Amino acid sequence: MTALAGPPPALDGRRSGVRLRVAQVADAEALAALYGANREYLRPWEPERDDAYYTVEGQRDNLHDLVEAYAAGEMWPAVILVGDEVAGRITLNNVLRGPLQSCFVGYWVARAHAGRGVATEALGQALDVAFGALRLHRVEAFTRVDNHASQRVLERNGFTPVGTARRHIHLDGRWHDERLFECLAPWDDGIALVPPT
């Protein structure tokens, strides 16, 4: 999957200074610091993690797994950069081929960058990767029903709500309902399996 390596192309009219780069094991130190600083901020939205996850070694192990999955074509894991600073993560997860041609997207942005359009821009760039280089037909996302900020990010990028999954995810000590959103490729004509060449 070497054709997918590197950042997406620069896009005219997009928020300057925000870009994506495929995650690397070398990002462990920056991500450990960012996760550590945002641990309480992310607690309601992220799965429960043991203390080791927030260390450089824990992030190195996690990134090693992500890089392997990327090499196998199973996901597209990226860091969100604002300037040269790592500001969060975004991942196209569970890439399914064959008749589905789909994936799920998950993302988070550090508190210091929240509410500034960074997540909206990052998601837009990730969709360009999904529907361009990855040639997927559909991207799906789940958000807790009370995560209105994330739902606005999705809607600004053309996602539409599909429905609610009851007690779908265990976060912050209990099960939560989540809303499912979907976004179809701009090339979707209801017939083609992949985009035209």
Side-chain angles (χ1 to χ4, degrees):
M1 306 275 321
T2 55
L4 304 180
L11 302 166
D12 295 334
R14 292 283 176 96
R15 177 186 168 91
S16 63
V18 177
R19 63 186 177 89
L20 305 183
R21 176 179 47 73
V22 172
Q24 305 166 2
V25 175
D27 294 319
E29 190 171 327
L31 284 170
L34 198 62
Y35 267 117
N38 287 274
R39 188 171 183 171
E40 288 304 311
Y41 173 68
L42 295 172
R43 183 181 304 277
W45 320 113
E46 288 271 303
E48 295 176 27
R49 315 227 193 243
D50 61 25
D51 290 339
Y53 185 82
Y54 298 91
T55 67
V56 173
E57 189 58 39
Q59 282 304 300
R60 192 172 288 121
D61 291 345
N62 182 52
L63 287 161
H64 178 75
D65 293 344
L66 295 177
V67 168
E68 281 188 353
Y70 169 70
E74 298 167 357
M75 69 168 45
W76 191 85
V79 290
I80 300 169
L81 302 169
V82 176
D84 292 328
E85 177 188 351
V86 175
R89 288 243 344 261
I90 190 163
T91 305
L92 301 171
N93 296 293
N94 301 332
V95 173
L96 300 173
R97 296 298 181 179
L100 292 177
Q101 299 295 336
S102 68
C103 72
F104 285 91
V105 65
Y107 52 88
W108 65 270
V109 172
R111 181 193 309 247
H113 298 284
R116 298 181 179 184
V118 173
T120 299
E121 172 60 22
L123 179 56
Q125 290 183 30
L127 289 175
D128 289 339
V129 172
F131 298 139
L134 295 180
R135 300 168 52 88
L136 296 174
H137 174 256
R138 169 193 213 87
V139 176
E140 297 177 346
F142 279 100
T143 70
R144 273 182 36 178
V145 294
D146 57 340
N147 190 345
H148 303 293
S150 189
Q151 291 170 29
R152 283 191 299 273
V153 168
L154 292 167
E155 289 168 347
R156 287 180 187 136
N157 277 286
F159 282 78
T160 56
V162 175
T164 301
R166 295 183 58 244
R167 295 189 176 113
H168 186 253
I169 193 166
H170 197 273
L171 297 172
D172 202 22
R174 69 180 188 88
W175 288 101
H176 293 272
D177 294 351
E178 287 197 303
R179 290 183 75 192
L180 171 63
F181 287 78
E182 67 180 5
C183 184
L184 297 179
W187 53 265
D188 171 56
D189 63 1
I191 299 169
L193 179 64
V194 294
T197 54

